[in-house]
Amino acid sequence: MAQAGRLHGTALRASAVELIADLLPGTATSGLGPEDILERVQMFYEAEESAAT
């Protein structure tokens, strides 16, 4: 059971990475680079995480 949980977690991480990689090329149309978008996402995530605690 623990191994299944680890495999599920690994699959979720891989899916998240693939999703982000698919979305980043579209940032060029907004005039933002991937670094800019990732920085904004991290700031948003940290703010949401902070608000939840």
Side-chain angles (χ1 to χ4, degrees):
M1 186 74 171
Q3 184 178 7
R6 284 194 299 274
L7 290 175
H8 181 70
T10 300
L12 284 176
R13 285 189 293 279
S15 294
V17 169
E18 289 177 27
L19 174 63
I20 292 167
D22 288 345
L23 293 173
L24 284 178
T27 64
T29 60
S30 66
L32 298 171
E35 296 85 9
D36 299 320
I37 295 297
L38 291 172
E39 184 177 330
R40 288 179 184 209
V41 169
Q42 183 171 0
M43 289 182 346
F44 178 81
Y45 172 78
E46 290 171 352
E48 290 289 314
E49 188 177 63
S50 178
T53 57

